[in-house]
Amino acid sequence: MAAAHSLLHLAVPKSLAPTFTLSPLGAAHRLLPSLRPQRMVASCSSAHPDLAAFPNPNGLLVAEPAAVTPTDIDVATEAELRENGSRSTRRTKLVCTVGPATCGPSELEALAVGGMNVARLNMCHGDRDWHQKVISSVRRLNEEKGYAVAVMMDTEGSEIHMGDLGGAPAAKAEDGEIWIFSVRSFEVPLPELTVHVNYEGFAEDVRVGDDLLVDGGMARFEVVEKLGPDVKCRCTDPGLLLPRANLTFWRDGSVVRAKNAMLPTITSKDWLDIDFGIAEGVDFIAVSFVKSAEVINHLKSYIAARSRGSDIAVIAKIESIDSLTNLEEIIRASDGAMVARGDLGAQIPLEQVPSIQQKIVKLCRQLNKPVIVASQLLESMIEYPIPTRAEVADVSEAVHQRADALMLSGESAMGRYPDKALSVLSNVSLRIERWWREEKHHEPLELEDVSSSFSDKISEEICISAAKMANKLEVDAVFVYTKGVHMASLLSRCRPDCPIFAFTNSTSVRRRLNLQWGLIPFRLTFSDDMESNLNRTFSLLKARGMIKSGDLVIALSDMLQSIQVMNVP
């Protein structure tokens, strides 16, 4: 593919940019100027059988492909493109956990307006009827209001955790208080200062003197006495106890993990939840406390057998020492990863969390897997309307590392200021991304080859060349026409300075693309004729004010494995 890379040295003025086509021709893949002149479709319904007249924002009738409805372009992204221009749109994606504070239709719409790309459902909380209503609300929002919000279902997993606190939303543990952690079942309400633990062997496994961490250290207790099924613990670090919070216990400076390692990754409840997710057609299933690649492979086979042609992606949550031990094989097997820093920080020394996060983000990038940075990004905003400066710095670092997505947990699920928390993520992402471009931080990172076939290798080289060309020529956007996620994902992996407009004819693929860095997904009926696709795309985007005549774009296609450079007429 040396010929493809020769394009990097072209200094083409935008006004004079020719069209180039890169296609496999036998053994030689030659780069040639297009011999066919550009013919743009006229802006009237008679110019093309697929075009119909509709009013644009200025009140004029222009042409739009009749196969494309308003719901095929995310209205929040459309508004941002019109307001800021293509080069100033946000590239980092935003995931919001839906909970009591945000489960209503109006609250969900507020999150969508604020830039939520993926709605996360935590199966630790709520019953399936509640989750089904949220999924229906998100789908209705997409269909009726024109958004493209994807749905992620997060399994509970089998780690040790507390019960539901007798229905109470939270409990406060004060310094020096004696609490009972018990495996007994209690009638509601629970006895005062008592917590139910889901793991039957808990009382046998802990020892007097062990430290018990709640939710990764949000509160800490010391084991002072064992009384049959009950364990008396003294609060040494006061904090808030939340329903079904994760529990870990430490002994002599190390996490006690032998029993956790023996627990199954996917429990019987998880399998029922997974069946529910398949039936509801969720876009992502995030698997908690993944220990090995075998679990991921088994789940993907299970999904494929029960949902023919399904586009459900499997996300591996990296949140335990076992996950780190088998990190690369887990990420290779998965469709993406989540750096779940809260639970991870309960199993490794806190000072190791930043370097581990950076390692996971870089590895996912190398292996072409989207990665989400999650847990406690804006924890203080559960209670307060503005974040701490340290939290903003933490978010900035995740964006600087070029993670695909950032995730809100309690901030959006039960916080007092979910919209403001989402706004902070969006604004910080925009600012750091803009700084990166202004400082011309073209990345020297050498990406590992990920292709397993010659055909995929061609697509990979095309995407690498397109990203370098986009930066050198300062193009306004890259268009990629794809029937799946692969080529758009390869392009996202290269992190070009300009946004990537990803066109697919699949609604579910469009939602999956919403998790990947820099991709602006559209659903568009297209053919194998690239010129026809471009003509229809230009007409649509110009009519909606997303691009304008004179913009320089690069267009790729995974159907023809082609690349073109041109000005918008």
Side-chain angles (χ1 to χ4, degrees):
M1 297 304 294
H5 289 292
S6 67
L7 261 184
L8 303 179
H9 306 293
L10 292 177
V12 185
K14 289 190 177 184
S15 60
L16 301 176
T19 299
F20 295 95
T21 302
L22 176 63
S23 301
L25 302 173
H29 307 288
R30 294 176 292 166
L31 186 64
L32 299 172
S34 174
L35 300 179
R36 182 165 52 181
Q38 288 292 306
R39 293 182 295 102
M40 296 310 300
V41 178
S43 295
C44 62
S45 59
S46 61
H48 194 285
D50 289 335
L51 297 181
F54 78 108
N56 75 352
N58 298 319
L60 301 176
L61 287 179
V62 295
E64 179 191 27
V68 180
T69 66
T71 58
D72 290 327
I73 301 172
D74 184 89
V75 293
T77 303
E78 181 179 1
E80 185 176 347
L81 284 166
R82 285 177 176 168
E83 180 179 354
N84 301 324
S86 62
R87 290 189 68 84
S88 298
T89 55
R90 172 174 46 83
R91 314 296 202 268
T92 307
K93 300 305 179 74
L94 306 178
V95 182
C96 297
T97 303
V98 178
T102 48
C103 61
S106 60
E107 290 83 5
L108 286 170
E109 184 170 4
L111 292 178
V113 170
M116 173 177 67
N117 302 111
V118 180
R120 170 181 174 255
L121 301 176
N122 187 351
M123 302 307 288
C124 288
H125 307 285
D127 56 27
R128 295 188 189 100
D129 287 340
W130 183 89
H131 290 293
Q132 196 280 327
K133 291 177 182 176
V134 173
I135 294 172
S136 296
S137 294
V138 172
R139 297 287 189 245
R140 193 177 308 115
L141 187 66
N142 290 344
E143 293 167 4
E144 297 178 1
K145 299 296 181 70
Y147 295 97
V149 178
V151 175
M152 175 184 294
M153 190 194 82
D154 196 325
T155 65
E156 181 176 324
S158 60
E159 297 295 281
I160 301 171
H161 57 76
M162 302 190 319
D164 287 324
L165 301 179
K172 183 67 181 295
E174 301 289 355
D175 188 30
E177 284 183 341
I178 299 297
W179 283 67
I180 300 296
F181 287 77
S182 178
V183 298
R184 290 185 291 155
S185 296
F186 296 94
E187 297 293 331
V188 177
L190 291 174
E192 189 176 3
L193 303 183
T194 299
V195 171
H196 173 69
V197 179
N198 73 320
Y199 172 48
E200 292 185 359
F202 176 74
E204 287 78 18
D205 288 343
V206 297
R207 300 177 185 173
V208 172
D210 285 351
D211 286 327
L212 182 64
L213 274 65
V214 178
D215 203 8
M218 298 306 293
R220 182 189 295 263
F221 295 81
E222 180 186 359
V223 176
V224 295
E225 188 177 0
K226 296 168 60 173
L227 301 170
D230 299 339
V231 178
K232 293 177 64 176
C233 301
R234 178 187 297 108
C235 180
T236 55
D237 286 335
L240 199 64
L241 309 184
L242 301 177
R244 308 191 72 77
N246 181 254
L247 298 176
T248 53
F249 47 102
W250 288 61
R251 182 178 304 145
D252 300 326
S254 300
V255 65
V256 180
R257 51 185 287 268
K259 294 296 182 181
N260 277 359
M262 294 173 61
L263 296 174
T265 299
I266 302 177
T267 67
S268 56
K269 175 185 180 298
D270 291 336
W271 285 116
L272 294 175
D273 288 339
I274 288 166
D275 286 338
F276 164 79
I278 294 172
E280 291 296 324
V282 300
D283 302 291
F284 305 95
I285 294 178
V287 186
S288 296
F289 302 104
V290 177
K291 299 180 178 69
S292 67
E294 285 74 19
V295 172
I296 300 296
N297 291 328
H298 180 46
L299 176 56
K300 291 174 79 170
S301 298
Y302 185 87
I303 293 171
R306 284 157 178 76
S307 182
R308 299 296 182 186
S310 170
D311 287 317
I312 299 175
V314 176
I315 305 296
K317 294 178 66 180
I318 310 301
E319 53 190 339
S320 68
I321 294 177
D322 299 290
S323 301
L324 297 179
T325 302
N326 304 303
L327 183 61
E328 183 168 340
E329 67 177 46
I330 289 172
I331 292 176
R332 285 187 182 277
S334 71
D335 298 307
M338 181 190 298
V339 189
R341 305 179 307 175
D343 288 316
L344 184 61
Q347 297 204 12
I348 64 174
L350 291 175
E351 63 272 15
Q352 292 182 14
V353 173
S355 59
I356 293 296
Q357 172 182 311
Q358 186 173 33
K359 176 182 177 180
I360 296 170
V361 170
K362 182 177 180 180
L363 182 58
C364 286
R365 172 90 175 278
Q366 290 281 6
L367 299 179
N368 193 32
K369 309 289 185 177
V371 59
I372 306 164
V373 174
S375 304
Q376 302 173 347
L377 284 170
L378 299 172
E379 190 80 6
S380 69
M381 292 193 75
I382 293 176
E383 294 290 335
Y384 301 104
I386 61 172
T388 67
R389 277 54 176 172
E391 288 171 335
V392 172
D394 179 39
V395 173
S396 299
E397 178 59 23
V399 177
H400 180 265
Q401 290 173 3
R402 316 291 260 179
D404 288 86
L406 307 175
M407 192 180 92
L408 296 175
S409 299
E411 304 96 326
S412 59
M414 62 177 187
R416 297 174 62 185
Y417 306 98
D419 299 347
K420 290 184 177 181
L422 182 60
S423 178
V424 169
L425 288 191
S426 180
N427 291 337
V428 172
S429 297
L430 280 167
R431 182 65 192 91
I432 298 302
E433 291 165 0
R434 187 180 305 120
W435 168 79
W436 189 275
R437 293 190 298 273
E438 289 171 352
E439 296 295 321
K440 299 297 182 185
H441 288 292
H442 299 314
E443 297 176 272
L445 178 67
E446 291 297 326
L447 297 173
E448 179 179 310
D449 291 341
V450 293
S451 300
S452 57
S453 68
F454 183 67
S455 177
D456 284 348
K457 181 63 177 175
I458 294 173
S459 294
E460 188 175 330
E461 289 295 328
I462 286 174
C463 289
I464 292 172
S465 298
K468 291 181 179 179
M469 289 168 61
N471 291 343
K472 265 192 166 305
L473 301 179
E474 297 185 352
V475 305
D476 296 286
V478 177
F479 292 0
V480 56
Y481 297 84
T482 179
K483 292 185 177 180
V485 301
H486 185 60
M487 195 164 197
S489 179
L490 285 172
L491 195 54
S492 167
R493 173 193 188 220
C494 296
R495 304 295 196 260
D497 286 350
C498 64
I500 304 165
F501 290 6
F503 301 93
T504 178
N505 53 9
S506 167
T507 301
S508 59
V509 169
R510 177 189 173 214
R511 291 196 302 265
R512 274 190 60 180
L513 293 175
N514 234 347
L515 184 63
Q516 298 203 275
W517 188 97
L519 296 183
I520 300 174
F522 299 78
R523 193 189 71 81
L524 177 70
T525 302
F526 50 70
S527 67
D528 289 339
D529 184 347
M530 273 294 290
E531 184 176 341
S532 172
N533 293 334
L534 287 168
N535 289 342
R536 297 178 64 223
T537 304
F538 287 154
S539 296
L540 170 65
L541 298 186
K542 286 174 65 178
R544 293 183 176 275
M546 298 182 187
I547 59 173
K548 61 184 184 300
S549 295
D551 284 350
L552 184 62
V553 301
I554 296 175
L556 313 178
S557 167
D558 66 1
M559 287 84 74
L560 302 177
Q561 290 186 311
S562 64
I563 180 171
Q564 293 177 286
V565 184
M566 69 206 73
N567 286 110
V568 176

